Amino acid sequence: MNNIFNLTKKELETYFLSIGEKSFKATQVYEWLYQKRVYDIDEFSNIKKEIRDKLKADFTTNFIKIENKQVDNLTHKYLFKLIDGEYVEAVVMMHDYGISVCVSSEVGCNMGCKFCESGRLKKVRNLQAYEIVEQILVIEKDLEKKINSVVIMGIGEPLDNYDNIIKFIEIINDAKGLQIGARHITLSTCGLIPKIYELAKLPLQINLAISFHAPTDELRSKLMPVNKVYSITPLIKAIKDYLQVTSRRVTIEYVMLNNINDSKECALKLAKLFKGMNIYVNLIPYNETNHLEFKRSSKNKIEIFYDTLKKEGINVTVRKEFGSKIDAACGQLRGRKNA
Ligand code: SAH
């Protein structure tokens, strides 16, 4: 049976029309679920019993559960148990300007980036839209606070779970749904080119971030096997085309790996690739893990890299760090109870 949190408002409207009801009932249901936060269909008092019974027969309102929660100052990491017993994680970060959450998009990940802890567990399955929506609902209930922004940067490659991710975005962005503005939603991808083109065609004003991490195909293919299929030249072309269609600035993520991709020469090559484009580079100090041999670049090297990009006219920032003590930082999520 389908979970009700899988449905966009449009789909719920279509459902109501298909059972001979008026489509505005979808708005009423959305208001119960996402505004009043009432999940017992029997309590939907403006919907008559006969329709409530039909809804109950057609949909579940089952929730994923918090299995564990770790708190480190401004970062909270949640381990969720899904209804079939799989696990994923999500991370909440408290900023001065609001609360953001980093959600997972898959159980495991098939992209195999060499430096990433999450990819050590191969993809088990896609998350359905409701399992991502519920990460937010459950966290908001737990914190008793509203989440202001969402980054799709947890476990999984979101564009490898495209349809569910787009549904998820539509649901949380809906004016009668969670009302999270598209400009407060960021999707990060390792660069699945055909899906970047599909995304460009959608009328969604979300932010796109590309995990780039190396300025040459030789190095990028070593670090990110996906580059053997979607290499740098066509990826840059896809980013250019995306910029042209959407006019929305793209983020280029670049993880700083000691003695691997952090030389001045790498910075110069990177600058050359992106010169004149409406992008900014977000340098991510590498978060070390117990299992992988990579080390974080020194502060000094990160500074030189930063300055070199700046001098070449590239906008650049260094990602603020959250949660490395509780293995909640980028690339440290595992989604397992003990690992
Ligand atoms: N699959 C998506 C989203 C998940 S990863 C993607 O590839 O973009 C989110 C970001 O964290 C990516 O840029 C990823 O390359 C980076 N990352 C992975 N492992 C990391 C680590 N150990 N330290 C810092 N960043 C890491």
Side-chain angles (χ1 to χ4, degrees):
M1 207 187 336
N2 202 356
N3 189 301
I4 201 152
F5 297 105
N6 263 332
L7 274 71
T8 63
K9 189 142 70 37
K10 264 239 138 55
E11 288 173 330
L12 205 50
E13 284 168 359
T14 307
Y15 165 80
F16 276 114
L17 291 173
S18 80
I19 60 167
E21 292 294 329
K22 294 263 163 40
S23 63
F24 74 82
K25 293 231 153 42
T27 299
Q28 294 178 331
V29 169
Y30 253 53
E31 282 167 354
W32 285 109
L33 297 175
Y34 296 107
Q35 281 158 34
K36 300 178 194 133
R37 306 288 165 108
V38 170
Y39 307 128
D40 179 352
I41 292 174
D42 280 325
E43 289 183 35
F44 295 3
S45 52
N46 55 1
I47 292 178
K48 62 178 190 257
K49 180 162 188 319
E50 182 197 331
I51 305 175
R52 293 200 309 259
D53 287 344
K54 176 86 182 117
L55 278 173
K56 283 197 296 184
D58 290 337
F59 301 106
T60 68
T61 53
N62 292 340
F63 269 88
I64 63 172
K65 298 233 155 49
I66 300 176
E67 177 79 14
N68 189 25
K69 177 180 160 181
Q70 285 169 274
V71 178
D72 167 27
N73 196 17
L74 298 176
T75 310
H76 299 215
K77 180 167 81 166
Y78 290 84
L79 176 68
F80 289 111
K81 186 170 186 179
L82 308 177
I83 289 157
D84 66 355
E86 297 290 348
Y87 294 95
V88 292
E89 291 180 319
V91 178
V92 173
M93 290 156 281
M94 316 279 181
H95 307 271
D96 327 328
Y97 53 84
I99 301 179
S100 71
V101 61
C102 173
V103 294
S104 289
S105 58
E106 301 177 331
V107 178
C109 180
N110 272 346
M111 298 300 118
C113 297
K114 294 288 184 278
F115 48 83
C116 181
E117 182 72 24
S118 304
R120 289 177 54 237
L121 175 65
K122 286 279 149 276
K123 176 160 156 179
V124 176
R125 64 174 178 84
N126 287 329
L127 290 189
Q128 292 185 52
Y130 85 88
E131 295 172 300
I132 321 176
V133 172
E134 289 183 0
Q135 291 174 49
I136 298 180
L137 290 172
V138 172
I139 288 173
E140 285 193 342
K141 178 150 193 256
D142 185 61
L143 295 175
E144 296 180 351
K145 289 199 172 90
K146 174 103 183 81
I147 283 170
N148 308 94
S149 59
V150 173
V151 296
I152 310 167
M153 291 194 191
I155 301 163
E157 168 46 49
L159 295 188
D160 196 29
N161 183 14
Y162 187 84
D163 293 345
N164 289 316
I165 287 294
I166 298 306
K167 264 193 199 192
F168 159 70
I169 294 172
E170 284 177 13
I171 293 166
I172 65 168
N173 181 231
D174 196 289
K176 298 284 176 192
L178 286 173
Q179 300 173 324
I180 296 175
R183 282 153 201 260
H184 297 266
I185 301 171
T186 301
L187 182 153
S188 176
T189 174
C190 62
L192 303 186
I193 293 175
K195 298 294 178 191
I196 294 174
Y197 281 99
E198 270 189 56
L199 198 60
K201 284 192 235 141
L202 297 181
L204 284 171
Q205 301 273 301
I206 61 165
N207 305 305
L208 178 64
I210 309 278
S211 296
F212 209 78
H213 307 326
T216 64
D217 280 322
E218 195 194 348
L219 181 56
R220 195 165 188 268
S221 293
K222 269 193 213 149
L223 296 173
M224 303 175 67
V226 68
N227 193 68
K228 293 176 196 157
V229 186
Y230 300 121
S231 61
I232 290 181
T233 305
L235 179 56
I236 301 258
K237 166 94 169 60
I239 297 170
K240 277 189 179 147
D241 292 344
Y242 182 92
L243 287 168
Q244 193 162 25
V245 175
T246 65
S247 305
R248 308 242 340 119
R249 183 163 76 158
V250 169
T251 306
I252 303 301
E253 297 167 286
Y254 196 97
V255 63
M256 298 297 292
L257 302 164
N258 187 42
N259 288 338
I260 306 261
N261 65 352
D262 60 352
S263 66
K264 189 167 175 180
E265 198 194 350
C266 281
L268 288 169
K269 283 186 183 153
L270 190 69
K272 203 165 165 200
L273 289 175
F274 289 104
K275 197 135 228 168
M277 289 170 64
N278 184 21
I279 58 101
Y280 81 95
V281 174
N282 191 209
L283 299 178
I284 313 174
Y286 181 62
N287 299 304
E288 295 172 10
T289 76
N290 292 335
H291 305 98
L292 306 169
E293 74 277 23
F294 295 94
K295 294 275 173 260
R296 169 185 292 199
S297 306
S298 67
K299 266 209 164 105
N300 185 39
K301 273 216 176 143
I302 297 178
E303 255 169 46
I304 295 172
F305 203 93
Y306 177 98
D307 290 340
T308 308
L309 289 177
K310 266 251 141 99
K311 258 189 223 133
E312 294 298 310
I314 302 285
N315 288 314
V316 54
T317 53
V318 179
R319 181 170 292 175
K320 186 163 184 253
E321 283 178 66
F322 276 95
S324 53
K325 274 200 215 114
I326 51 171
D327 283 349
C330 306
Q332 294 184 321
L333 300 185
R334 277 185 292 253
R336 268 171 287 171
K337 279 172 85 171
N338 312 299

